[in-house]
Amino acid sequence: MLVTGFPAGMFQTNCYILAQDNSKECVVVDPGQDAAEPLNEFLTGSDLTPRAVLLTHGHLDHVWSAQAVADRYDIPTYIHPGDRHMLADPGVGLGSSLAPFLEGATFTEPHEVIEFADGDEIEYAGIRFVVDHTPGHTQGSVVLRTVASTPDGSEVPVALTGDTLFEGSIGRSDLPGGNHEQLLESLAAKLLVLDDTTNILPGHGRSTTIGRERASNPFLTGLAGSR
């Protein structure tokens, strides 16, 4: 499986592209600010056609280009209902200090929005994703889990965690809709139960593994959760 990505926009939000080897189809996760053009260039150069846009949550830096990408390729956009309102009104998810970033900008929903829920399984481009609802950073935050096959034939679990879990840190909970205790509960119930080999693809920064974060992430110390 091809799993690649690039940081986009002023917030350097990771936009991910996933595709099966030798496939002409892919899935796009979290196309944020200034992601549309580099994404289109990559897709054209790789001869890939996206089949869906998946959003880990509704914050502007993760959804900014969702409408442009989804409508350009006539594909659905998936988001949890707890964050859907931010697609057309991203200001509700921002604090007052970030509101100036929206001055003069207008947003609309993609033409086809599908809401997903905890435990849902969705499949596009031959890739199956399991949806874990992880409220705390926002009320509609989700983690998207899948399995990648390696060149030697082994399988590696992968979790796209959005802004729920980062290398050495966790998501902020001080913006509208955030709740720190809820975030810790989500981490314990949905992420710390995963195998140590699970590769974490976060919304910002470098990739990591559950095992590495379990051992060294100071925010996870003392949380429940077992493999």
Side-chain angles (χ1 to χ4, degrees):
M1 182 187 292
L2 166 71
V3 182
T4 190
F6 59 90
M10 69 179 74
F11 298 102
Q12 292 291 277
T13 303
N14 291 328
C15 174
Y16 292 103
I17 304 101
L18 295 88
Q20 296 286 20
D21 286 350
N22 302 316
S23 175
K24 299 296 185 183
E25 300 180 340
C26 68
V27 175
V28 175
V29 178
D30 286 356
Q33 183 192 29
D34 296 333
E37 286 313 308
L39 175 63
N40 291 335
E41 290 175 9
F42 175 83
L43 296 174
T44 300
S46 303
D47 196 22
L48 287 170
T49 301
R51 292 305 180 198
V53 171
L54 309 182
L55 301 174
T56 61
H57 63 289
H59 277 162
L60 182 62
D61 58 319
H62 290 254
V63 309
W64 191 301
S65 299
Q67 184 266 336
V69 173
D71 290 0
R72 174 171 183 163
Y73 291 97
D74 193 25
I75 57 178
T77 297
Y78 282 77
I79 193 168
H80 189 275
D83 281 7
R84 179 172 180 172
H85 60 288
M86 287 189 245
L87 290 174
D89 186 12
V92 299
L94 302 178
S96 57
S97 64
L98 297 177
F101 288 115
L102 292 181
E103 197 168 325
T106 58
F107 296 87
T108 59
E109 277 198 357
H111 76 286
E112 182 182 5
V113 177
I114 301 175
E115 297 178 354
F116 48 26
D118 186 55
D120 281 357
E121 297 186 9
I122 57 178
E123 184 170 335
Y124 284 94
I127 304 171
R128 185 173 66 91
F129 296 88
V130 177
V131 179
D132 291 325
H133 184 210
T134 55
H137 177 64
T138 66
Q139 288 304 296
S141 288
V142 301
V143 167
L144 302 168
R145 290 187 290 115
T146 189
V147 176
S149 299
T150 64
D152 64 6
S154 61
E155 293 188 333
V156 177
V158 174
L160 296 108
T161 58
D163 286 0
T164 296
L165 178 64
F166 306 120
E167 180 189 38
S169 189
I170 61 175
R172 61 188 296 181
S173 53
D174 60 329
L175 294 176
N179 183 304
H180 185 68
E181 291 303 316
Q182 195 178 36
L183 176 58
L184 296 180
E185 291 171 3
S186 292
L187 288 162
K190 298 297 189 179
L191 286 168
L192 287 180
V193 297
L194 301 179
D195 190 84
D196 280 350
T197 62
T198 303
N199 279 257
I200 301 299
L201 303 181
H204 304 269
R206 300 183 302 181
S207 62
T208 182
T209 66
I210 283 292
R212 190 178 305 152
E213 297 313 301
R214 192 194 308 277
S216 62
N217 190 320
F219 294 94
L220 304 186
T221 302
L223 291 184
S226 59
R227 282 168 288 174

